[in-house]
Amino acid sequence: MIQFPPIPVEHCVSSRLAEVDFNQLEFGKYMSDHMLVCHYSGKEWKTPAIVPYGPITMQPTALALHYGQSVFEGMKAFKLADGRASIFRIRKHWDRLQRTLARMCMPPVPFDLFEEGLKQLIALDRNWIPSAEGSSLYIRPLVFATEDRFGVKVSDEYMFIIMTGPVPPFYPRPLRVKVEDTYSRACKGGTGAAKCAGNYGGAFYATQLAREQGFDQVLWTDLSPELHIEESGTMNVFFVIGDKVVTPPLSETILEGVTRDSVLTLCGKLGIEVEQRPIPAMELLRAHRDGTLREAFGTGTAAVTAPICAIGVREATIELPDYSEDAVCKRLFRAMSDIQRGKAPDTEGWLTTV
Ligand SMILES: *Cc1c(COP(=O)(O)O)cnc(C)c1O
């Protein structure tokens, strides 16, 4: 096997670690000392470098700012009992990044660069991984177009950055979600399955309206008369109906969550039956009336599973009972967290240890 060469490191002059109160972390507030930066031009990725985290320079004409070639990933690393770090499902995140990049006419990032970039960066900033139960190091890989010109075109130049930062345990209070019947996050033939920046910008407005109506998030639908459920905000969505876990099948309007995939695998291991099929909003109302709708929850890297306590469907609101520790969403949360933190065997080979 060819060894990826050590990435050149420019160390920060003084670490900012001492400025961080690890008992008062907030999601997205602190960035670790270093970041990985790699430039693409002349049809190739140049030598990457690990440099102090800080401002970057680019021209105001950088194409990403105008025409939206900007994509990202969201991943996590955890501190293991022996002090080493485990990075969760590198290959799966890379796979998705490749599909996203291809959809946006952006050049693929070689797997070696992605994996070694992550490993070397996280090994260097290992002390930034919080050790408190439930906390982790959030990792944000980002690729965007940097070519400077006015014309509408596919950029010939890009920047790939990996930055990280410590985040606290994410135990969201149960969410109130509103079935969206006016706005769309993704459409047939669109970019919904790609993790691109524009999908987020386009989703804020509907979410803001839902907040004004007393909800936390929208439950995106296909806007068909049946209002088939797609996702919950920026998470995939699952329901427990009767004794089955039900989630919409992947499609071009659904982002393929790594957590979604992991949760499906864990359902198999826990002996929980799963159905991937279209879910009309009416079915949720009916199941609630019949008493068979037991749980609703979102899945994503930040929260793992995020319980949903209320679902607004047009004029009706479904209120779900509180979740006990035996609830499927709680069991899945524990099963995932145990693997991520090395407390349960990593039978699927999801962890990379550095
Ligand atoms: C990132 C994302 C998810 C969740 O993906 P994970 O890999 O599980 O974090 C779900 N939906 C959307 C729209 C997303 O951008």
Side-chain angles (χ1 to χ4, degrees):
M1 203 176 80
I2 303 166
Q3 282 279 310
F4 196 87
I7 297 171
V9 179
E10 180 197 329
H11 289 270
C12 61
V13 176
S14 65
S15 172
R16 286 175 284 104
L17 193 57
E19 297 163 19
V20 179
D21 180 353
F22 275 79
N23 296 313
Q24 305 278 327
L25 293 175
E26 280 172 44
F27 195 95
K29 183 168 173 190
Y30 298 108
M31 306 307 297
S32 310
D33 282 331
H34 299 93
M35 62 182 181
L36 177 130
V37 177
C38 190
H39 293 275
Y40 178 95
S41 65
K43 298 200 187 307
E44 62 174 22
W45 288 102
K46 309 294 180 194
T47 305
I50 291 174
V51 299
Y53 173 82
I56 53 171
T57 57
M58 56 185 188
Q59 300 296 343
T61 44
L63 287 172
L65 300 176
H66 302 261
Y67 309 121
Q69 279 182 301
S70 181
V71 310
F72 66 99
E73 272 299 320
M75 328 173 41
K76 275 185 172 175
F78 303 85
K79 183 158 279 174
L80 301 175
D82 64 6
R84 291 186 303 164
S86 79
I87 311 170
F88 192 64
R89 301 200 71 176
I90 293 181
R91 172 70 69 167
K92 192 83 182 159
H93 282 282
W94 177 80
D95 281 345
R96 181 170 69 190
L97 178 63
Q98 298 319 293
R99 289 194 299 277
T100 295
L101 288 167
R103 180 65 181 80
M104 301 303 289
C105 297
M106 297 164 73
V109 170
F111 181 70
D112 279 3
L113 170 58
F114 188 75
E115 183 186 42
E116 285 300 322
L118 283 166
K119 285 163 76 170
Q120 296 186 28
L121 178 68
I122 287 160
L124 178 66
D125 280 339
R126 188 194 308 274
N127 291 340
W128 284 83
I129 309 176
S131 36
E133 178 76 28
S135 54
S136 57
L137 188 77
Y138 186 77
I139 307 166
R140 170 55 58 86
L142 174 72
V143 190
F144 58 97
T146 51
E147 188 181 344
D148 60 321
R149 54 189 300 152
F150 276 132
V152 181
K153 73 181 280 282
V154 172
S155 180
D156 287 325
E157 293 168 19
Y158 297 89
M159 222 168 153
F160 170 47
I161 296 180
I162 306 177
M163 57 201 117
T164 74
V167 296
F170 194 88
Y171 299 123
R173 61 188 167 79
L175 301 170
R176 303 181 66 84
V177 298
K178 173 194 153 186
V179 170
E180 182 58 55
D181 60 2
T182 306
Y183 298 98
S184 177
R185 186 193 79 86
C187 62
K188 276 209 173 61
T191 56
K195 211 165 175 72
C196 57
N199 287 349
Y200 281 71
F204 286 150
Y205 186 67
T207 309
Q208 192 172 294
L209 292 182
R211 294 234 163 99
E212 286 166 12
Q213 295 161 20
F215 295 96
D216 301 300
Q217 279 295 348
V218 299
L219 259 192
W220 299 108
T221 68
D222 63 357
L223 298 185
S224 70
E226 294 78 27
L227 296 176
H228 293 107
I229 306 294
E230 293 186 331
E231 295 199 54
S232 166
T234 58
M235 291 186 284
N236 295 110
V237 69
F238 288 73
F239 302 93
V240 180
I241 302 177
D243 51 10
K244 285 186 191 143
V245 167
V246 189
T247 192
L250 291 177
S251 74
E252 57 186 341
T253 52
I254 292 182
L255 196 284
E256 183 180 351
V258 175
T259 317
R260 176 188 184 278
D261 180 80
S262 309
V263 156
L264 288 172
T265 301
L266 291 177
C267 282
K269 287 177 162 287
L270 295 171
I272 302 169
E273 198 178 329
V274 182
E275 269 179 15
Q276 299 187 52
R277 60 167 174 81
I279 306 164
M282 270 319 198
E283 178 184 345
L284 298 179
L285 280 177
R286 217 179 315 118
H288 179 60
R289 217 176 298 123
D290 298 347
T292 53
L293 179 62
R294 290 165 44 199
E295 296 181 31
F297 57 92
T299 66
T301 294
V304 183
T305 63
I308 292 170
C309 61
I311 307 172
V313 189
R314 299 232 157 96
E315 296 74 37
T317 302
I318 298 170
E319 301 279 351
L320 288 158
D322 289 347
Y323 295 109
S324 75
E325 289 305 308
D326 297 330
V328 171
C329 62
K330 305 273 182 170
R331 289 169 61 201
L332 288 168
F333 176 88
R334 288 194 300 271
M336 270 283 273
S337 305
D338 285 353
I339 294 172
Q340 290 172 328
R341 283 154 215 290
K343 292 184 190 161
D346 173 27
T347 54
E348 309 299 314
W350 284 346
L351 305 183
T352 302
T353 312
V354 291

